[in-house]
Amino acid sequence: MTRIIAPLIGLGFAFVLVLGLFGTITTASEPATAEHEFHLKPKPVALASNGIFGKFDRQQLQRGFQVYKEVCAACHSISLVAFRDLAALGYSEAEVKAIANQWTTEQPSVNPETGEAATRKNLPSDKFPHVYPNEVAARAANNNAIPPDLSLMTKARPDGAAYVHSLLTGYQQPSAELMKEFPNFATPEGLYFNPYFPTLNLAMPQPLVSDGQVTYADGTNATVDQMAKDVTAFLVWTAEPKLEARHTAGLASVVFLIIFIALTIGAYKSVWRNVKH
């Protein structure tokens, strides 16, 4: 009797598993959406810091900081970066002090005489201050959207640098193909179409609108693509300022392991050379 029941129980379990799998597939087959069909994968961007041998281009980082300062800093903070960290970009101590002192947003403080809230000039030891005092102020100034902090943006988003560069250069009008397939698709008022953003519409207006928007001190031609690459390189640095040291340590470790393995093989052969197997 047991020999008959056991196979039946097994068949019952198999039947339940097949039903579960079929139900999962059916549930996963949802109607196609414009976001799914027309969301584009970021385009690769060539930066000096790419790859295991990558190193930062200091001139590009300074250009990227200039783009951030003149274009992005009005809305986006880099609150995890200190002013004195800019010395790693090639700025002198005097230049770092001047940048900190002249920065538009000052540090929150307290008036020692009245105890009321106040502000003070930035010091090189200070971190870049938040653009907005709180989330309510940020939403009020940005159509109810909160501009994200950019300190770790290239580490926080899939495809990192490629995503940032593609987003900055990807603003456009919805394509004819999209409107033909999804005639009811529309970009709501106050939002902007960008196929590299997951929902296709985002609250940030196009920040880099024309060539020459920034005048580079080193004379580099400031095209929209160049500015996007430069600020992307800068944000790669803010997210991982020790990237070069990590690459150097990694390569040194690999070389050490190769030498160690070679010495180990040599020692093994030397010790067992007279032993017959």
Side-chain angles (χ1 to χ4, degrees):
M1 188 69 178
T2 303
R3 292 180 179 178
I4 298 175
I5 295 176
L8 292 176
I9 294 175
L11 288 173
F13 275 116
F15 180 71
V16 171
L17 288 173
V18 169
L19 284 179
L21 178 62
F22 179 77
T24 302
I25 294 173
T26 303
T27 303
S29 301
E30 298 177 351
T33 62
E35 291 81 358
H36 179 266
E37 294 291 327
F38 289 90
H39 176 222
L40 300 180
K41 184 177 180 180
K43 301 171 292 186
V45 58
L47 299 176
S49 56
N50 289 353
I52 60 174
F53 299 103
K55 291 184 177 296
F56 289 122
D57 178 342
R58 262 60 187 178
Q59 277 195 313
Q60 184 174 47
L61 294 184
Q62 289 193 17
R63 293 197 303 268
F65 173 63
Q66 185 178 350
V67 175
Y68 167 75
K69 179 175 65 174
E70 297 184 19
V71 179
C72 311
C75 300
H76 296 277
S77 305
I78 48 171
S79 61
L80 299 182
V81 181
F83 286 100
R84 62 186 173 192
D85 294 335
L86 296 178
L89 275 59
Y91 290 107
S92 66
E93 184 178 348
E95 288 174 324
V96 171
K97 287 182 179 179
I99 291 170
N101 185 64
Q102 297 167 7
W103 198 253
T104 306
T105 309
E106 298 183 339
Q107 295 289 335
S109 183
V110 175
N111 188 322
E113 297 179 359
T114 63
E116 296 180 351
T119 59
R120 63 167 175 79
K121 293 289 186 179
N122 297 289
L123 300 173
S125 57
D126 290 324
K127 292 188 175 179
F128 281 80
H130 290 281
V131 177
Y132 303 101
N134 51 57
E135 289 190 2
V136 175
R139 289 185 184 280
N142 294 280
N143 194 27
N144 204 38
I146 301 177
D149 189 292
L150 298 181
S151 305
L152 301 175
M153 183 56 64
T154 58
K155 303 292 284 186
R157 296 291 186 270
D159 298 303
Y163 168 79
V164 173
H165 177 262
S166 294
L167 189 76
L168 290 175
T169 57
Y171 287 85
Q172 57 190 264
Q173 293 298 317
S175 66
E177 183 182 358
L178 186 156
M179 297 309 299
K180 180 179 180 181
E181 188 169 342
F182 298 94
N184 294 325
F185 177 86
T187 298
E189 184 178 355
L191 299 183
Y192 305 86
F193 180 78
N194 192 316
Y196 296 100
F197 194 69
T199 62
L200 303 184
N201 298 311
L202 72 164
M204 180 176 72
Q206 184 175 358
L208 302 174
V209 295
S210 63
D211 296 346
Q213 187 173 341
V214 171
T215 302
Y216 284 137
D218 64 1
T220 299
N221 185 21
T223 63
V224 169
D225 184 69
Q226 184 66 54
M227 290 185 289
K229 282 182 179 177
D230 292 341
V231 76
T232 298
F234 173 70
L235 294 179
V236 170
W237 173 79
T238 64
E240 196 168 6
K242 302 298 182 183
L243 177 142
E244 290 175 324
R246 180 172 62 80
H247 284 179
T248 300
L251 289 172
S253 299
V254 171
V255 171
F256 170 78
L257 289 174
I258 291 173
I259 295 173
F260 177 77
I261 291 171
L263 291 174
T264 301
I265 293 173
Y268 171 82
K269 290 184 176 181
S270 177
V271 171
W272 295 95
R273 66 182 182 277
N274 297 322
V275 178
K276 294 182 179 181
H277 295 285

